[in-house]
Amino acid sequence: MFDIRSPWAKSSLSLLAVGIAVVVLLPIAWIGALSLKTGREVYKQSFLPDQWTPGNYVEAWREFGLGGYFVNSVFVTALSVALTVLVGLLAAHAFTWLKFPGSEWVFTALLLGIMIPPAALVLPLLIEARQLGLYDELYGLSLVYVAFGLPISILVFRGFFQGLPGDLVESARLDGAREWKILWRVVVPMARPAIVTVTILLMLANWNDFILALVLLRDSDTYTLPVGISQFIGQYRTPHELIAAASLIGSVPVFLLYLILERRFQQGVAQGALKG
Amino acid sequence: MRADTSLTAVAPAASDRKPRRRDLLRAERRRGGNFASGLGVAMVFPSLAVFLGLIAVPVVVVALVSLSEWAGFELGDLSWIGLENYRSLVDDGVFWGALVNTLLFTGLTTLFLNILGFGFALLISTRVRGTGLLRAVVFLPALLPPVLVGLMWRRVLDGFGFVNQILQNLGITDEPIFFLGERGYVLWLIIGVTIWQFAGFDMILYYAGLQSIDRSMLEAAALDGARTFRTITRVVIPSLYHIVGVVALLNIIGGLKIFDVVFVMTRGGPNRSSEVLATYMLEKGFRHSIMGQASAIAVVIVVLAVVFSLIRLRISRRLV
């Protein structure tokens, strides 16, 4: 966008860019190195381990029962994202193509949900979850994620639908197609970019959530990764190299997805944030 | 509520009388009637139900509980005490400390995130070598779970951590500094960690904004012989005013609900020097079972978030 010509300016900007990247990455790299050290080496000054111990990851996985937390996190994230996208698509379809008296009001009311920080509602949610039998249940937590994910999803979906050619929906209707078929066969295939954006946003939010899971789950059998791993920090005897390994294990899924979908991730996050 | 009543009136017809449904639908459509709109209500209903049940009702509940004295167990033990909880918050030094810390955290992270985010976005938009790496690396921490980021930094900052290693190797200190045990440091460190984590997030937003600037204006500026710096101040920044507003408000709203990093790094300590609204709320609610006061703090968080969200809505309306 800016045409930098002078070679001196070019190389100093490159240097600056690489320098910043290194500084940002160093703490993670240090944790990565720590996670590969033996227990005795942890307090030594050296950056890299003398004795590389990848077995720490296996030990952390077994010692802390990360497998169970991992499965819980995957389950909650998958269920909540799938439900939110499905329910959000239905609503956005109606808000765009099947307006009813008062639908704009309902739409505005739903959008108010974007303003409410989940952290502020943990107490009443806990009270309600106990009453409804959703407390300490993974599907209950998923349902709460659905509630907080819906407003932004509906906003993004409707914004996208409004840019689609309405004739296609109209002509499908004249052909006698049922509404859900129109949504599924006509609208959804065109809306794929919006669905990807929403899926990325929701996956990040729900996989990373801490406070809702902390409050709404009680039993260690139901803990998600962030809650499960955070439980070890209070125990000062927990070996540092294992905490480091566990933290990195919890970050890996996001990191892998990011590697595969880097630009889409960035676009998705930007679109979701700027439009929401 | 109108949506609910029309749903009960129409939904049974949609499911019970399948054979005639399509004909009915066609007939209705020809008349531009409201059968289809009944279907619309049905499609919105799941969203509305989840929203009402798990956001709207809790908002009302938290507001009501904030007017009561209640330990949180038996509903029968609840007694109404009006605004007493808010009055005791006003007299509560810890609450004010948490509020000040939250606002300080929010203000400073917003300021630095925007400066760095904008700077990094300008840098990557030059597309010189190395900026691809910068773009990928700086954005990465924004994706990680804040809890794990807090855990990692807790290690990096402790007595045997990376920062102390650097300080000792450079000969700045001999004795390790226990950063997270120092009243004077902790809030600043939490602010620093948050900036480290989310600078890339702001960068991506500003980069998206930069892409939307009219090319011809930049070219015109270049033809006029404007130097890069002048182009930035005269063309780029003025056309990004709205984006600045939206991004800053996003950071503000995110900042007000700060919890995860504080919880794992310091639990609000030492001696409450890093207490924020959300940590204090949970302490009141769960450790001390004073649901009324905890709810009053929650209401403060909600009100702050809603106020800034409304401002944001005004700005982004103009944006889109």
Side-chain angles (χ1 to χ4, degrees):
Chain A
M1 133 169 262
F2 301 105
D3 202 8
I4 309 286
R5 296 247 174 76
S6 117
W8 185 86
K10 261 189 183 169
S11 42
S12 47
L13 285 176
S14 290
L15 206 64
L16 183 66
V18 174
I20 296 169
V22 168
V23 169
V24 169
L25 211 51
L26 263 180
I28 298 185
W30 187 81
I31 289 289
L34 178 71
S35 74
L36 292 167
K37 289 181 174 179
T38 60
R40 257 175 298 151
E41 264 185 274
V42 163
Y43 298 104
K44 282 208 327 198
Q45 285 271 347
S46 62
F47 192 101
L48 290 178
D50 295 335
Q51 211 182 329
W52 293 71
T53 330
N56 285 342
Y57 284 83
V58 181
E59 209 182 326
W61 182 271
R62 268 205 316 242
E63 185 89 0
F64 302 148
L66 291 189
Y69 305 145
F70 204 93
V71 170
N72 291 343
S73 269
V74 169
F75 175 79
V76 169
T77 305
L79 179 65
S80 61
V81 173
L83 269 179
T84 316
V85 168
L86 188 73
V87 172
L89 280 172
L90 282 176
H93 184 91
F95 284 134
T96 319
W97 319 111
L98 281 174
K99 292 194 178 163
F100 50 89
S103 64
E104 283 301 311
W105 282 97
V106 179
F107 178 70
T108 311
L110 283 176
L111 288 198
L112 293 179
I114 293 179
M115 303 183 186
I116 310 294
L121 294 189
V122 288
L123 298 173
L125 280 171
L126 175 66
I127 298 167
E128 215 182 320
R130 281 200 182 127
Q131 300 292 325
L132 299 175
L134 300 174
Y135 178 56
D136 202 22
E137 295 283 357
L138 289 175
Y139 70 87
L141 181 64
S142 310
L143 215 55
V144 174
Y145 289 161
V146 172
F148 284 101
L150 268 175
I152 179 75
S153 311
I154 293 174
L155 183 67
V156 172
F157 285 151
R158 193 182 87 141
F160 195 88
F161 287 1
Q162 282 172 336
L164 295 177
D167 305 353
L168 284 175
V169 174
E170 265 313 304
S171 60
R173 268 189 200 154
L174 290 178
D175 288 346
R178 291 185 175 200
E179 208 60 37
W180 65 267
K181 231 174 195 167
I182 299 176
L183 172 60
W184 198 242
R185 295 269 169 80
V186 182
V187 177
V188 166
M190 290 191 289
R192 226 170 252 157
I195 295 173
V196 173
T197 296
V198 167
T199 305
I200 288 173
L201 283 177
L202 296 174
M203 260 176 23
L204 270 182
N206 300 352
W207 181 270
N208 290 351
D209 167 71
F210 178 59
I211 191 167
L212 288 169
L214 179 74
V215 173
L216 295 176
L217 302 175
R218 180 190 53 194
D219 204 75
S220 66
D221 287 348
T222 57
Y223 283 171
T224 56
L225 266 177
V227 179
I229 294 177
S230 78
Q231 294 305 307
F232 306 119
I233 55 168
Q235 308 166 3
Y236 279 94
R237 287 183 314 172
T238 309
H240 288 305
E241 72 279 10
L242 294 190
I243 296 182
S247 314
L248 289 176
I249 290 175
S251 311
V252 156
V254 183
F255 182 71
L256 281 183
L257 270 177
Y258 178 53
L259 277 187
I260 302 167
L261 291 168
E262 183 195 330
R263 289 292 148 94
R264 279 243 44 111
F265 245 75
Q266 298 190 346
Q267 285 162 8
V269 170
Q271 281 167 6
L274 290 176
K275 284 187 186 142
Chain B
M1 185 156 280
R2 183 190 282 172
D4 280 336
T5 50
S6 52
L7 177 83
T8 45
V10 178
S15 57
D16 289 343
R17 287 183 276 164
K18 262 192 180 143
R20 282 168 52 200
R21 188 181 160 282
R22 177 179 289 188
D23 304 331
L24 247 175
L25 212 69
R26 276 196 183 146
E28 285 286 340
R29 270 181 198 141
R30 245 173 268 130
R31 286 188 279 124
N34 57 17
F35 191 95
S37 78
L39 191 59
V41 175
M43 289 172 93
V44 170
F45 181 73
S47 296
L48 192 63
V50 174
F51 169 79
L52 289 177
L54 294 171
I55 297 183
V57 167
V59 168
V60 174
V61 168
V62 85
L64 287 177
V65 173
S66 80
L67 303 174
S68 77
E69 189 176 348
W70 188 39
F73 304 109
E74 295 293 323
L75 266 177
D77 300 339
L78 186 148
S79 57
W80 300 105
I81 55 170
L83 293 173
E84 206 49 54
N85 288 319
Y86 293 94
R87 227 169 275 148
S88 63
L89 279 190
V90 172
D91 296 331
D92 181 354
V94 179
F95 167 73
W96 286 108
L99 180 65
V100 168
N101 281 345
T102 305
L103 295 178
L104 203 61
F105 170 89
T106 303
L108 285 174
T109 49
T110 299
L111 179 68
F112 284 104
L113 284 173
N114 278 275
I115 294 172
L116 287 175
F118 181 60
F120 292 168
L122 281 179
L123 188 52
I124 60 174
S125 69
T126 63
R127 305 247 166 110
V128 296
R129 218 175 265 189
T131 50
L133 177 75
L134 177 72
R135 182 176 167 172
V137 165
V138 173
F139 186 63
L140 174 66
L143 302 173
L144 301 181
V147 169
L148 302 187
V149 166
L151 261 182
M152 293 184 202
W153 275 95
R154 197 173 126 143
R155 245 329 257 146
V156 169
L157 290 167
D158 77 12
F160 304 95
F162 187 43
V163 175
N164 269 303
Q165 285 183 4
I166 294 175
L167 292 180
Q168 285 171 4
N169 281 330
L170 293 177
I172 297 174
T173 55
D174 292 331
E175 293 294 306
I177 303 171
F178 290 89
F179 290 101
L180 296 179
E182 299 274 349
R183 295 189 50 123
Y185 287 147
V186 276
L187 187 64
W188 306 103
L189 292 170
I190 290 167
I191 290 170
V193 168
T194 304
I195 293 169
W196 174 84
Q197 184 174 12
F198 290 110
F201 177 71
D202 280 27
M203 170 186 81
I204 290 303
L205 300 186
Y206 276 117
Y207 187 69
L210 284 174
Q211 303 307 303
S212 66
I213 292 178
D214 193 354
R215 295 272 138 165
S216 58
M217 281 171 57
L218 291 173
E219 278 154 21
L223 279 181
D224 286 349
R227 305 289 302 264
T228 308
F229 182 74
R230 263 182 98 84
T231 317
I232 292 173
T233 52
R234 294 286 168 82
V235 181
V236 175
I237 292 182
S239 39
L240 286 181
Y241 274 151
H242 287 320
I243 300 254
V244 175
V246 171
V247 176
L249 281 156
L250 264 179
N251 296 153
I252 290 173
I253 295 160
L256 290 172
K257 52 185 184 192
I258 168 74
F259 173 77
D260 302 11
V261 176
V262 178
F263 187 80
V264 291
M265 280 180 75
T266 66
R267 301 243 165 164
N271 211 350
R272 303 215 179 266
S273 52
S274 59
E275 199 76 69
V276 290
L277 290 175
T279 53
Y280 194 43
M281 173 190 77
L282 280 202
E283 182 191 316
K284 284 269 184 201
F286 291 118
R287 193 119 59 86
H288 306 310
S289 287
I290 313 175
M291 284 296 174
Q293 284 185 24
S295 299
I297 301 173
V299 170
V300 172
I301 302 176
V302 171
V303 168
L304 284 172
V306 168
V307 166
F308 285 108
S309 300
L310 288 175
I311 302 174
R312 170 162 182 261
L313 212 64
R314 280 196 85 105
I315 299 180
S316 58
R317 278 264 166 78
R318 263 187 286 163
L319 184 79
V320 185

